[in-house]
């Protein structure tokens, strides 16, 4: 398993910061849930554990999606594009993907007059991350 | 129109190189076609002309998708994610999206034993870009 993962990693072209963009797509509906970033360790964890793990650029640490929100992404398939610098995760999203409580992160659409919100939160961020007491 | 576009641009967080990743998704099937990069001018051209225009990092110039291959992407909707650093283009792809002649760029899937190709070219790259004579 780990040898195959190292082979998988060898085909991925990480940028100068050691990262690749990763798209998470709901496997059965095609909905694009979010885009995050992965380093080599995030790819290893994702393939080993069968759930999405990203690299948080703001917190500078591995981020197992759902570790604080319980909104995990179970991995169905892991794909790589033609030039090897973007990965696509087909996942089964538990609950919502977006930290705003929306199902996916792409809830702003451009119209002739500007951006409009096309989706509403399904849960409150407080319910996702716990109210601080 | 151009004033609205400048407002649209104001919400997009370009990285230190002045770029954002852009996902192209087939609007009616949900298929993820490709990921490329946009700078501010590429966003302007895309919104003004109603077809996808990217920034080619290798050629360092604007790249109207299909300008040499005729495989244009007609823009159906332009979306922005929650933190403003990734854009999603819902498009109608003419022909194939990938320079290899495949319908989309994500034709490698990881299996326990390594990467496998899950799609074949529909046209030859020579037919797309013309044979050099």
């Amino acid at each position: 398993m780990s040898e195959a993962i190292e082979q998988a990693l060898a085909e991925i072209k990480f940028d100068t910061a050691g990262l690749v963009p990763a798209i998470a797509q709901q496997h059965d509906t095609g909905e694009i849930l979010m885009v995050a970033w992965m380093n080599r360790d995030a790819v290893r964890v994702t393939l080993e554990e069968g759930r999405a793990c990203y690299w948080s650029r703001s917190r500078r640490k591995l981020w197992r999606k759902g570790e604080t929100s319980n909104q995990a992404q179970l991995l169905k398939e892991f794909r790589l594009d033609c030039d090897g610098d973007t990965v696509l995760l087909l996942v089964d999203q538990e609950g919502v993907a977006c930290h705003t409580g929306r199902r996916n992160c792409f809830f702003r659409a451009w119209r002739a007059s500007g951006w409009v919100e096309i989706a509403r939160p399904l849960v409150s961020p407080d319910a996702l991350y716990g109210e601080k007491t």
Side-chain angles (χ1 to χ4, degrees), chain A residues 18-115:
Chain A
L19 302 175
V20 283
I23 307 167
Q25 182 179 34
Q26 177 64 28
H27 72 103
D28 48 1
T29 65
E31 178 183 12
I32 297 180
L33 299 165
M34 57 180 279
V35 169
W37 294 80
M38 288 183 153
N39 63 5
R40 298 174 75 86
D41 280 343
V43 174
R44 283 191 190 98
V45 170
T46 296
L47 294 178
E48 283 172 355
E49 299 185 2
R51 54 176 282 186
C53 177
Y54 303 104
W55 173 255
S56 170
R57 294 180 299 173
S58 56
R59 289 179 285 148
R60 301 196 61 75
K61 55 181 277 195
L62 287 179
W63 159 39
R64 284 170 174 82
K65 176 71 178 169
E67 64 191 356
T68 54
S69 67
N70 291 321
Q71 314 289 289
Q73 295 174 336
L74 305 180
L75 186 69
K76 295 289 186 175
E77 186 153 288
F78 191 81
R79 293 189 189 161
L80 182 63
D81 75 347
C82 53
D83 47 11
D85 62 3
T86 307
V87 296
L88 169 61
L89 284 71
L90 298 178
V91 301
D92 195 14
Q93 172 72 54
E94 297 186 343
V96 300
C98 185
H99 75 289
T100 65
R102 292 172 176 85
R103 172 77 188 168
N104 74 66
C105 297
F106 292 90
F107 57 84
R108 287 186 281 182
W110 189 79
R111 301 286 185 259
S113 57
W115 295 107

